[in-house]
Amino acid sequence: MAFIAFIFGTVVGSFVNVLIYRLPKGISVVAPPSHCPACGHRLEPMDLVPLLSYLWLGHKCRYCCAPVSWRYFGVEALTGAVFALVYYRFGATVDAGLLCVLFACLIAAFFTDVDQYIIPDSLNAAGLIIGFARAVAGPDAFSTRWLSEPGVQPVTVLGALAGAAVLPGLLYLMILLGNVMFRRQIAEQESQWANEGILEEGERLDAMGMGDVKLAAVMGANLGIAGGLVALLTGVFIGAVFGLALKAMKRLEGHAIPFGPALIIGFSVSVFVGGDVIRWYLNLLAGG
Ligand SMILES: [Zn+2]
């Protein structure tokens, strides 16, 4: 069964590739049908088999021989692996199905943010709707297996509302704090980028973008306040470590770091082991 979830995930992953390519450009995601970005040739079913097409066509377009990025293969494999993991962890439940759709959106957001520093509003909106759909469906709609297990529980509608309201506020406060703490660096970057024409006249740089704040609402709606906090803190920690590592390697000059991917990794950690973390922390508080 986990294998079927994997195969299904690779098919969805091939659509996730379409989202990554088309959403930031504002192209419809359903029409026109897929074509090679290099030669424009319409892709036949044979070119669209997840994972396998990439391998048997030798990573290039069948019509013009333009190389095809390994990323297409990677996104399909990753989506398949995540679907299998969700099935393995939560079983074949309504909630697991909704989680899979959510992860497909988040994988798309991960790569649009890496590529273009954009998380399309449509992806955040979908994530928010899924969060409330999961809350409305409620814990009773799922197998009881995971109620006794360490993942974060599906939250109540009230919990989803509270999470969606509180988490973006917290992240926004962190951004304000970051803007104060890194005032000097941000000012330097702003003047450098203004000189290079990367920033418009008078345009300001934030430590993080508003897309990240909306993403925090998605995390809150899906995890509630406690699970959302685990996701947020894990994400900020990963983002900070990654940022410092890049700085140490002097790879940061002239590059902003997209923060969305760190938040998405934090979200994944919370979904799969957040319950463990919360229980460990509560035990710590109780002195146990
Ligand atoms: Zn081509």
Side-chain angles (χ1 to χ4, degrees):
M1 262 307 276
F3 184 68
I4 296 173
F6 175 80
I7 297 295
F8 185 62
T10 61
V11 175
V12 174
S14 119
F15 182 65
V16 170
N17 274 317
V18 174
L19 295 179
I20 295 169
Y21 183 75
R22 294 191 182 184
L23 282 180
K25 294 192 168 76
I27 313 173
S28 158
V29 296
V30 283
S34 296
H35 52 267
C36 166
C39 67
H41 197 291
R42 183 171 163 179
L43 300 182
E44 307 291 334
M46 179 190 172
D47 307 309
L48 294 167
V49 183
L51 302 181
L52 298 182
S53 285
Y54 182 83
L55 294 177
W56 81 50
L57 296 177
H59 347 145
K60 48 185 193 278
C61 170
R62 197 148 63 92
Y63 311 99
C64 70
C65 293
V68 174
S69 165
W70 63 270
R71 256 260 302 271
Y72 287 93
F73 181 90
V75 165
E76 287 166 359
L78 175 66
T79 312
V82 168
F83 276 35
L85 191 61
V86 168
Y87 169 75
Y88 173 77
R89 186 76 184 73
F90 303 119
T93 62
V94 176
D95 193 60
L98 288 168
L99 260 183
C100 283
V101 181
L102 177 64
F103 272 113
C105 294
L106 291 178
I107 292 169
F110 188 103
F111 288 103
T112 57
D113 205 18
V114 167
D115 286 350
Q116 325 215 349
Y117 307 113
I118 290 173
I119 298 176
D121 278 343
S122 51
L123 292 176
N124 277 330
L128 205 56
I129 292 168
I130 292 167
F132 285 105
R134 293 178 61 211
V136 169
D140 293 337
F142 321 124
S143 80
T144 52
R145 184 181 141 213
W146 73 321
L147 290 176
S148 56
E149 289 194 357
V152 166
Q153 317 306 326
V155 292
T156 60
V157 176
L158 199 64
L161 271 173
V166 170
L167 266 287
L170 275 179
L171 182 60
Y172 192 68
L173 280 179
M174 286 185 192
I175 293 175
L176 290 182
L177 195 69
N179 281 342
V180 172
M181 279 170 58
F182 301 108
R183 198 174 41 219
R184 205 165 47 83
Q185 289 90 329
I186 290 174
E188 279 170 10
Q189 187 80 77
E190 270 175 355
S191 62
Q192 188 196 333
W193 281 8
N195 287 337
E196 293 170 12
I198 296 173
L199 282 181
E200 299 284 327
E201 179 72 32
E203 196 180 342
R204 302 300 306 271
L205 201 62
D206 266 329
M208 290 175 220
M210 288 316 281
D212 298 327
V213 173
K214 293 173 189 165
L215 184 59
V218 173
M219 302 195 310
N222 279 279
L223 297 168
I225 291 180
L229 266 179
V230 173
L232 190 63
L233 295 178
T234 310
V236 168
F237 178 74
I238 289 171
V241 168
F242 189 67
L244 288 176
L246 282 180
K247 210 173 172 67
M249 296 188 297
K250 304 230 182 290
R251 295 280 296 277
L252 213 57
E253 265 73 37
H255 297 281
I257 328 168
F259 184 64
L263 280 181
I264 290 167
I265 295 171
F267 175 83
S268 312
V269 168
S270 187
V271 165
F272 290 107
V273 296
D276 277 339
V277 175
I278 294 166
R279 235 163 283 142
W280 166 80
Y281 184 69
L282 290 179
N283 276 335
L284 207 67
L285 285 187

